[in-house]
Amino acid sequence: MKFVSIDASTKDMAFAYFVNGKPIKYGKLEFGGSDIYGKVMDISVKVKAFYNRFDDVEHMIIEAPVYINSPQTAQYLSMTHGAIVGAASLSGIRYVRNVVPMTWQGQIGNPKLSKEEKDKLRNKAPNKSNSWYKNQERQIRKNKTIYIVNNKFDLNIKDNDIADALGIGLWATEKWDLVCEKT
């Protein structure tokens, strides 16, 4: 069982390379470019070079882009994900599976905050805006993912994107039959 799990954005790509259920390498590739087309070209070069370092990896699990209110952001995410998958395929990746954030997060023990947890946050910091509460909820969950992967793999990760890549890999390890079935 060898695969790379990916948490990608328009700015960077966090990754975790797993062998037999254990993360062997993990980190982040930063993307350059003065506009989205420059970024896509940079992504193509860097991701192809990245995957060329792995001889026998055929599977990639990537976090699916989530719904975003901005059509431009959705377009840019689609372009970056396409560049990542295209470059990976040129380097030997044969199977790609995506997973929505709530699926992998829930599976590793980090489900949506309960009503009680949300109420506790609102009671602790009253009279804040809805967007403030949403940002705090997102930060709580990011910190929980960091805690989960650090505990599971005996690591000291501080970057939430790298922790997400490791969390996606943890999900894939636990759901390997499902991952292979869908590819």
Side-chain angles (χ1 to χ4, degrees):
M1 178 191 332
K2 295 180 183 179
F3 64 88
V4 176
S5 52
I6 302 292
D7 177 40
S9 73
T10 58
K11 298 180 295 184
D12 54 46
M13 178 185 92
F15 66 89
Y17 168 56
F18 278 76
V19 176
N20 297 325
K22 297 191 183 319
I24 304 302
K25 295 180 184 177
Y26 47 86
K28 201 182 244 188
L29 297 177
E30 304 284 334
F31 303 138
S34 59
D35 62 9
I36 189 59
Y37 298 104
K39 284 183 189 272
V40 166
M41 288 187 276
D42 190 51
I43 288 167
S44 298
V45 170
K46 286 181 178 173
V47 171
K48 185 173 184 311
F50 167 77
Y51 276 111
N52 282 342
R53 297 181 350 200
F54 305 106
D55 292 333
D56 54 355
V57 176
E58 294 185 329
H59 289 84
M60 177 174 79
I61 298 86
I62 187 168
E63 184 179 67
V66 294
Y67 174 76
I68 298 177
N69 288 332
S70 164
Q72 184 181 47
T73 302
Q75 175 190 9
Y76 288 0
L77 277 172
S78 297
M79 293 171 73
T80 58
H81 275 69
I84 289 168
V85 171
S89 73
L90 293 174
S91 296
I93 296 296
R94 296 183 48 204
Y95 308 103
V96 178
R97 169 80 153 91
N98 73 10
V99 58
V100 295
M102 292 309 301
T103 298
W104 72 259
Q105 291 165 348
Q107 177 67 38
I108 70 165
N110 191 6
K112 282 179 141 178
L113 294 182
S114 68
K115 181 180 179 336
E116 294 78 23
E117 290 170 314
K118 290 179 182 182
D119 289 345
K120 183 179 176 182
L121 174 63
R122 281 157 178 73
N123 290 335
K124 187 176 173 183
N127 303 320
K128 302 288 185 178
S129 68
N130 280 339
S131 64
W132 186 90
Y133 291 121
K134 290 288 181 198
N135 284 333
Q136 291 300 307
E137 291 168 12
R138 187 170 34 257
Q139 193 58 49
I140 289 167
R141 296 198 61 235
K142 286 181 180 296
N143 289 338
K144 189 169 184 183
T145 296
I146 290 170
Y147 175 80
I148 289 167
V149 299
N150 280 338
N151 255 4
K152 174 70 178 176
F153 300 119
D154 194 27
L155 299 172
N156 188 25
I157 301 299
K158 292 182 173 73
D159 183 285
N160 63 58
D161 296 327
I162 295 170
D164 283 359
L166 288 159
I168 293 162
L170 177 58
W171 170 84
T173 298
E174 293 175 356
K175 296 292 186 177
W176 189 247
D177 290 342
L178 176 69
V179 168
C180 291
E181 176 181 298
K182 299 280 184 172
T183 56

